[in-house]
Structures are given as C-alpha cells and as structure tokens.
Amino acid sequence: VDPGETLGVVGESGCGKSTTGRAILQLHKPTSGSVRYAGRELTTLSAREMRPIRRDLQIVFQDPYASLNPKMPVNDIVGEPMRVHGYKGSEVMDRVADLLKRVGLNPEHGNRYPHEFSGGQRQRVGVARALALDPKIIILEEPVSALDVSVQAGVVNLLEELQEQLQLAYVFI
C-alpha cells in the first residue's frame, strides 16, 4: 500500500479480516504466511525489534469504547504512545492539543474520560491516538460499524481528509 492509498479487506463475518489486520501489526503472530513492511519481514522480528516499526503502523479499533482505557483522561490516552516513545512533558501536551483539534475535538475537553464522550467523539479520540506518532499506515478495523449511521459519515469524511493531508496509507477492514 503506497502513501495516500487505501487497501480494502472484505469478507464474511469470522473469515479473519480483523486477525489479518492484527497480524500486520504483529499483535497476533500469524501461524503461516508473510508480512512485509519497508522491505522487512515482520513475522520474524522480536517485540523489541518491532518497537521502532510500530511508530509507522497504527490501528483504530472497531469499538471506540472498548479500545480506550476508561480510567485515563483523553489527554493521557492520546499522549501515551508519545511518552512510550520518548517524548517529554510539554511536547506531549502541545501535540495532544493539536491532534484533538485535528480530529475535530475541543482540546479543552482533554481532561475528560472516554465515557463522557459520544461514540463518534470516542472514535475520533482513537484516531488522534493512532496519529500520535506520525504513522505511515493505519489499520482501520471496521472503524464506523459501532457508530450510529448519522455519525458514520463524519468519521469517514475525517479519515479521508487526514489521508489526503498526511498522505496516510489505510488498510480498511
């Protein structure tokens, strides 16, 4: 998948679409086959060797509520990947505020918890978190299927805008 492109993965329920997305990220180790990124075979890499590659490969899960830690405020949820990868204090907070704005949320609401947001807003938090490390590819695991129909178009439009602006590659399940 080249920058700015979308690869769609379709199939019946239970056929392995989500498992394929997670195998790309090495969240599930595949039992056979190959996953290559930037010329490297990922299935043979250790967790330590995968760490720098994870900056480039991110995921937005299907259920925004289940994928966000309910005990953490949104600022911490979005900032966590940056802290894990060595970003410091004010750098994290400035970037989090920018990301929340970029996905259409008010940065002043960053101290709120996931349950205080609507489903569409929670999914936008998930998108902001996925963008935190400037990824090249985002796996989108049915990102709008858990949302009300009235909210789905807004999230899809956001994803299209971000893809165009940031030249992201998407694997859309």
Side-chain angles (χ1 to χ4, degrees), residues 20-30 34-59 84-85 133 137 139:
T20 299
R22 292 167 191 236
I24 292 169
L25 296 165
Q26 298 301 290
L27 298 175
H28 290 300
K29 285 289 187 185
S34 175
V35 178
R36 298 186 66 76
Y37 172 71
R40 293 185 73 184
E41 176 58 46
L42 301 185
T43 60
T44 59
L45 299 180
S46 68
R48 184 176 176 183
E49 292 169 315
M50 271 301 296
R51 188 171 181 184
I53 294 170
R54 288 200 194 284
R55 296 178 69 105
D56 289 350
L57 307 173
Q58 293 292 311
I59 188 167
V84 166
H85 284 270
L133 298 173
I137 299 175
I139 310 296

Side-chain angles (χ1 to χ4, degrees), residues 108-144:
E108 294 173 12
H109 296 162
N111 291 324
R112 294 182 181 177
Y113 290 84
H115 73 274
E116 298 178 85
F117 291 89
S118 70
Q121 289 171 322
R122 284 192 295 263
Q123 195 61 295
R124 288 171 184 267
V125 171
V127 171
R129 179 183 166 93
L131 292 173
L133 298 173
D134 293 318
K136 306 286 186 269
I137 299 175
I138 298 180
I139 310 296
L140 298 158
E141 183 191 357
E142 300 186 47
V144 295

